[in-house]
Amino acid sequence: MIDLIAQDSTGGTGGIAGLLVPLVLMGGLFYFLMIRPQRSRVRSQKLLLDSLEVGDEVMTAGGIFGTIREIDDDTDTLTVEIAPGTSIRMLRRGVAQKLVEDEGYDEEAPDEEADQTP
């Protein structure tokens, strides 16, 4: 057992190359699984915040739903009406998502449950 530990590896450059290949593969895997998706999320959030306009319905990072009533670009703040007559002032980056109405929704469509017989 001690003889195996004490043996010197032959071909010193082969040992270094054997260590570098897994490190490079792990670095590439880390890039494609962690860094690249995060950059994509940051880019899409920036596009969302730049596209906000007065009258848009939004959800804040805290889960509050409201409608944008005023945008102040100098201080980068929004005034969001969360209930009739109740407005809050918040930072633009506090908006988590913009709510859009589903244009394909038809209110006259019958319920699927009503068509089923017991």
Side-chain angles (χ1 to χ4, degrees), residues 15-62:
I16 292 173
L19 290 175
L20 287 179
V21 171
L23 287 175
V24 169
L25 290 175
M26 286 177 28
L29 186 68
F30 183 75
Y31 174 77
F32 282 107
L33 292 178
M34 304 267 308
I35 297 172
R36 193 168 172 213
Q38 180 63 26
R39 283 184 182 172
S40 175
R41 282 190 293 272
V42 167
R43 188 178 309 121
S44 66
Q45 183 68 13
K46 183 172 176 9
L47 288 173
L48 167 79
L49 296 179
D50 291 341
S51 72
L52 293 177
E53 297 175 354
V54 173
D56 288 343
E57 291 188 29
V58 296
M59 183 183 79
T60 68

Side-chain angles (χ1 to χ4, degrees), residues 54-101:
V54 173
D56 288 343
E57 291 188 29
V58 296
M59 183 183 79
T60 68
I64 299 173
F65 293 91
T67 305
I68 297 176
R69 294 297 174 212
E70 183 181 336
I71 299 176
D72 186 1
D73 290 325
D74 295 334
T75 59
D76 209 28
T77 59
L78 308 170
T79 302
V80 179
E81 184 178 29
I82 57 175
T86 305
S87 295
I88 58 172
R89 194 170 139 228
M90 59 180 287
L91 292 175
R92 182 186 292 249
R93 64 179 170 228
V95 173
Q97 68 183 36
K98 184 175 168 181
L99 305 175
V100 292
E101 292 183 18

